[in-house]
């Protein structure tokens, strides 16, 4: 398939794609020099295709439905989801375009960020009847949200905003207060996630504005930011695109998911689950991937042994995003302190994988890690989805809510004998 | 072959599982009355620079309406008209325009044959059919572009080239149009606007 026509809903062009891939010549491969500030600030719209290879040629992110999938269609789709015995999944809310990170207000409002839709939503529940309101519009990729001491926090590309007394003001939140903006303006991999610790500081990921390369010094890192003072420390280095994390309730440590580089192959490198144990720890990017694959171009003499390996290799192109440690009592006792990870699923792979919820059982130290698929079935056919999970939050009753930015919906997974 | 079977299975299964929420073509027809002034009573435009919508792909229509509504595809005429549409309206309009018989009459009776031949070569070279299909009647979110008005095709390609219009399929059309010259765009438009399936 030619680079000139890739990227529509993938299934439409599949037979042709497979046929023409075989005869593609190296001269047709897409290539960008991403090693300069002009590229970081103004990347071409197809910046993610700039390291195209013969093997992965023609792959591009699929386009989802134009509007959120109606609830009754979704409920029918959910019959395809496989869960362990005793669990069930249902539509909890729909009509939420590009729903991303979720956060609970203290009075039961669920706040929801979005990807390109520029919106933040509030889902309110009155006697079981749920209403979705768009409470903020026009923000630059407000994927991350958090709630603390009555205030809603929203992280867009280059600023962290605070909206006070948010639940009482859903219809007129105002412009908010910028509490942190020592952030680069790069949009590529610049969408973020917010995790609040016990002191009210946030862990915030900063991704590189390309697939692979020596990154600008302001990114490829995890920062720890105090929204009261606007001060920050860099706690993790060598991180590619992280859009999910959580605090281990057993230790207070920060764990995070990370999307590995594209355009190496279908099966490498693996995406990661990481654990920060000391300040300034380096996780390998761009020199080393998945703990044991030196980058073909950017290893630059480094050995993988210099860097912190992942706790768990989650698999290539599964795209792990939001994650949560389970602290509820609804699920069976063996789920306590397990990690649930929302995997958004592939685009740079000939047969998609991910598009599911993974369960990881691991000691607080990171030892004895086991992983298994918890919920799957959102991938339809070889390269299409009816939904793509991207975040997880625990509800007060111990059920899990899962956001889906493809279908524009939130699901509820519950357990009952 | 396995791929092909998967695609076919999806096509067959989908309408059954989605029967409960089928878009309402009649409601779409009602909503579309305001469109007729520019896009033609039967969805076939006679106005320069305005596209025909009859037989257009449902998903493509829906995406464009969503782009107009959000302002991502800025347009002084379309913006205010679309601003108040609900998601259901958008699904109904997509289904309605997709249900209309497509224009099969080439836009020009006397095409510039040299330009046409050049357009055909560029279209083949850029593998437009990979997404728009061999008939250029499109599929899913990829637009139907056969026998579209050539003045509109020129405008659309120029807008993609300058990235003033967003592309579905992430950046597929932005990328496809990025290296085209004005002359190449004119040739592509001439070829597609006068497309006749038999010769393909």
């Amino acid at each position: 398939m030619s680079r000139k026509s890739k990227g529509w809903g993938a299934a439409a062009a599949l037979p042709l794609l497979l046929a023409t891939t075989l005869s593609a010549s190296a001269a047709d491969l897409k290539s960008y020099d991403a090693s300069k500030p002009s590229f970081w600030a103004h990347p071409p719209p197809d910046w993610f295709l700039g390291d195209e290879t013969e093997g992965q040629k023609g792959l591009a992110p699929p386009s989802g439905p134009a509007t959120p999938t109606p609830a009754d269609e979704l409920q029918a789709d959910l019959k395809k989801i496989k869960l362990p015995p005793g669990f069930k999944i249902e539509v909890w809310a729909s009509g939420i375009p590009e729903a991303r990170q979720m956060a609970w207000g203290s009075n039961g409002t669920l706040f929801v960020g979005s990807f390109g839709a520029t919106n933040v939503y509030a889902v309110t529940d009155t006697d079981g009847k749920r209403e979705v309101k768009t409470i903020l519009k026009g923000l630059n990729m407000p994927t991350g949200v958090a709630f603390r001491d009555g205030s809603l926090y929203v992280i867009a590309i280059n600023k962290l905003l605070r909206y006070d007394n948010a639940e009482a003001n859903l219809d007129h939140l105002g412009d908010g207060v910028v509490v942190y903006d020592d952030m680069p303006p790069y949009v590529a991999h610049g969408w973020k996630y917010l995790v609040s610790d016990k002191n009210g500081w946030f862990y915030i990921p900063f991704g590189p504005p390309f697939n692979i390369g020596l990154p600008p010094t302001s990114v490829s890192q995890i920062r720890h930011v105090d929204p009261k003072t606007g001060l920050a420390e860099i706690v993790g280095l060598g991180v590619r695109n992280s859009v999910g994390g959580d605090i281990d309730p057993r230790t207070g440590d920060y764990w995070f998911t990370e999307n590995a580089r594209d355009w190496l192959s279908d099966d490498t490198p693996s995406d990661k689950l990481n654990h920060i144990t000391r300040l300034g720890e380096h996780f390998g990017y761009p020199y080393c991937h998945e703990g044991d694959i030196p980058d073909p171009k950017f290893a630059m003499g480094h050995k993988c042994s210099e860097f912190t390996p992942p706790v768990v290799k989650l698999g290539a192109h599964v795209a792990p995003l939001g994650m949560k440690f389970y602290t509820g009592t609804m699920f069976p006792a063996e789920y306590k302190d397990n990690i649930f990870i929302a995997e958004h699923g592939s685009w740079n792979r000939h047969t998609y994988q991910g598009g599911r919820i993974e369960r990881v059982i691991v000691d607080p130290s990171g030892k004895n890690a086991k992983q298994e698929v918890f919920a799957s079935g959102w991938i339809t056919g070889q390269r299409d989805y009816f939904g793509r999970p991207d975040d997880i939050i625990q509800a007060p009753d111990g059920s899990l809510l899962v956001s889906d930015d493809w279908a524009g919906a939130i699901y509820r997974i519950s357990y009952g004998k | 072959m396995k791929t092909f079977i998967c695609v076919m299975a999806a096509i067959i299964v989908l309408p059954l599982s989605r029967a409960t929420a089928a878009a309402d073509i009649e409601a779409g027809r009602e909503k579309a009355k305001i469109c007729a002034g520019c896009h033609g009573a039967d969805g076939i435009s006679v106005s320069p620079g305005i596209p025909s919508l009859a037989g257009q792909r449902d998903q493509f229509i829906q995406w464009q309406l969503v782009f107009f509504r959000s302002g991502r595809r800025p347009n002084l005429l379309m913006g205010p008209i679309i601003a108040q549409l609900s998601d259901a309206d958008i699904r109904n309009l997509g289904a309605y325009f997709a249900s209309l018989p497509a224009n099969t009459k080439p836009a020009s009776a006397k095409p510039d044959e040299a330009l046409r031949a050049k357009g055909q070569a560029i279209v083949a070279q850029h593998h437009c059919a990979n997404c728009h299909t061999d008939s250029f009647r499109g599929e899913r979110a990829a637009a139907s572009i056969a026998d579209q008005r050539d003045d509109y095709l020129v405008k659309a390609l120029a807008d993609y080239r300058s990235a003033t219009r967003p592309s579905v399929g992430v950046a597929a059309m932005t990328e496809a149009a990025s290296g085209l010259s004005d002359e190449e765009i004119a040739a592509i438009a001439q070829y597609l606007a006068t497309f006749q399936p038999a010769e393909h």
Side-chain angles (χ1 to χ4, degrees), chain A residues 45, chain B residues 74 154-167 173-180 182 185:
Chain B
V154 167
K155 179 184 186 306
L157 285 168
D159 286 350
Y160 283 125
R161 181 176 61 183
S162 60
T164 49
R165 168 178 179 173
S167 170
M173 281 310 298
T174 316
E175 187 199 6
S178 64
L180 297 174
D182 286 349
I185 285 179

Side-chain angles (χ1 to χ4, degrees), chain A residues 1-18 20 30 32 45-46 48-49 60-70 72-73 76-77 80 95 97-98 116-117 380-386 406, chain B residues 1-4 6-7 13-14 17-18 20-22 59-60 62-64 66 69 72 87 90-91 125-134 139-143 160 163 167-179:
Chain A
M1 182 173 184
S2 159
R3 71 179 180 85
K4 288 293 178 191
S5 56
K6 67 173 71 80
W8 299 97
L14 280 183
L16 286 164
L17 184 148
L18 294 177
T20 53
K30 193 91 189 168
Y32 283 129
D46 57 345
F48 41 84
L49 305 177
S63 58
T67 54
T69 310
D72 47 0
E73 272 182 49
D77 284 339
K80 290 174 243 172
E98 304 185 59
T380 54
Q382 190 177 14
R383 260 180 287 190
D384 205 358
Y385 299 98
F386 78 77
W406 180 277
Chain B
M1 198 56 206
K2 195 172 148 200
T3 303
F4 186 62
C6 290
V7 173
V13 170
L14 232 54
S17 64
R18 309 216 154 186
T20 50
Q59 272 212 38
F60 177 79
Q62 289 192 43
W63 267 113
Q64 301 315 308
V66 165
R69 187 175 64 177
R72 285 181 67 198
D87 287 350
I90 286 175
R91 281 189 286 271
Q125 177 200 337
H126 289 219
H127 301 276
C128 304
N130 277 17
C131 295
H132 293 281
T133 77
D134 286 344
E139 198 164 36
R140 295 161 58 109
Y160 283 125
S167 170
V168 196
V170 191
M173 281 310 298
T174 316
E175 187 199 6
S178 64

